[in-house]
Amino acid sequence: DKIANANDNSIDNSNDRDHHQELLIDWVRSKEGGYWNPKQDIRNGGVFANQAITQNELLASIPWECVIETDNDAFETCHLVQSLSQEMQKKKESKFEPFIRVLKGVLQQQRPTNDATMAASIPSYWSKEGQELLLEITGHGSLPPEDPLMKDNEWKNDCDLIDADATLLVQTHAEDFGMVPLSSQYNSRGGNWTNAYFSMEGRGNDGSTRSNQTT
């Protein structure tokens, strides 16, 4: 019974996440220049084609007004973490509310416990046991990556003091210039780096981040 209940909850959570993604798509479409190709769907945290997509066909266009931007490189200062943290605290009052709701769902999915500072996506947020196993496998520094737990990473340590959840989201979902709705859904590289590529145009109301299918 417990297993069945857990599976039912998982399905409900997945349906909620997909619904929130659909609302996010509607929000992007409502902005001038916003576009989402109807030949694709978002399901279970990824983008799936529902019919044939040709090479270089436009998949999405994200207006700059939908992007949580930073004045500096996202991974050189904590400016983006601070901006994201402020928007998350505004909740429904945030002008990015549909995007923030999706990002909060990402956090809920990644947390292995109810501890808001814990998440399972990258080693620095794993359990103590998981981190120790990783260090053992990598020979405690004899194999790359260097500092896999990011204990000596000044950027992460400084940004964690502002907001650990926002820091995690920036680490796992940000571009160098900001947080872009829907872009992380294309993270899968399709085995041969042939899924999608991104380009930027302008920096204003008419600007966008574009994703195009390649073969």
Side-chain angles (χ1 to χ4, degrees):
D1 289 341
K2 289 183 178 180
I3 294 177
N5 288 337
N7 288 337
D8 289 343
N9 290 336
S10 176
I11 292 173
D12 290 342
N13 291 338
S14 177
N15 289 338
D16 286 344
R17 288 194 297 271
D18 290 346
H19 177 62
H20 291 161
Q21 292 283 8
E22 291 172 0
L23 294 176
L24 177 58
I25 291 171
D26 289 342
W27 176 66
V28 169
R29 281 173 168 168
S30 72
K31 306 300 182 181
E32 183 177 356
Y35 174 75
W36 175 262
N37 193 318
K39 295 180 181 179
Q40 57 188 347
D41 300 313
I42 291 183
R43 302 191 307 272
N44 301 319
V47 178
F48 297 83
N50 55 46
Q51 56 184 291
I53 296 175
T54 61
Q55 183 175 1
N56 292 326
E57 185 170 349
L58 181 64
L59 297 180
S61 178
I62 315 298
W64 281 104
E65 63 178 303
C66 296
V67 178
I68 303 175
E69 294 187 71
T70 177
D71 294 334
N72 310 99
D73 187 297
F75 304 102
E76 290 184 358
T77 73
C78 296
H79 181 269
L80 181 58
V81 170
Q82 181 69 58
S83 297
L84 177 59
S85 178
Q86 291 173 349
E87 294 300 333
M88 293 171 67
Q89 292 171 25
K90 293 178 184 177
K91 299 180 180 179
K92 291 186 178 181
E93 300 302 317
S94 171
K95 67 177 182 178
F96 301 102
E97 192 273 336
F99 188 22
I100 296 300
R101 181 168 44 193
V102 167
L103 291 175
K104 287 186 175 181
V106 170
L107 285 174
Q108 292 174 356
Q109 185 181 10
Q110 291 177 333
R111 292 172 189 154
T113 71
N114 291 326
D115 183 348
T117 65
M118 294 295 292
S121 59
I122 52 179
S124 55
Y125 293 89
W126 288 359
S127 66
K128 180 180 179 181
E129 292 78 9
Q131 292 179 350
E132 290 176 348
L133 178 60
L134 175 63
L135 292 176
E136 180 179 346
I137 292 173
T138 58
H140 294 273
S142 62
L143 295 174
E146 183 179 351
D147 189 25
L149 304 183
M150 301 184 72
K151 289 184 176 180
D152 299 323
N153 187 288
E154 184 176 354
W155 175 87
K156 178 183 179 301
N157 293 335
D158 289 344
C159 295
D160 273 346
L161 295 175
I162 297 174
D163 189 324
D165 281 351
T167 300
L168 171 64
L169 288 171
V170 169
Q171 282 181 277
T172 56
H173 286 71
E175 306 292 342
D176 290 342
F177 54 87
M179 301 290 291
V180 184
L182 302 172
S183 66
S184 63
Q185 301 302 317
Y186 297 96
N187 279 348
S188 172
R189 62 183 176 88
N192 193 33
W193 300 95
T194 55
N195 256 6
Y197 69 86
F198 300 88
S199 62
M200 294 186 296
E201 295 182 5
R203 284 190 84 83
N205 293 332
D206 59 344
S208 63
T209 298
R210 295 177 180 271
S211 169
N212 296 275
Q213 185 75 17
T214 64
T215 59

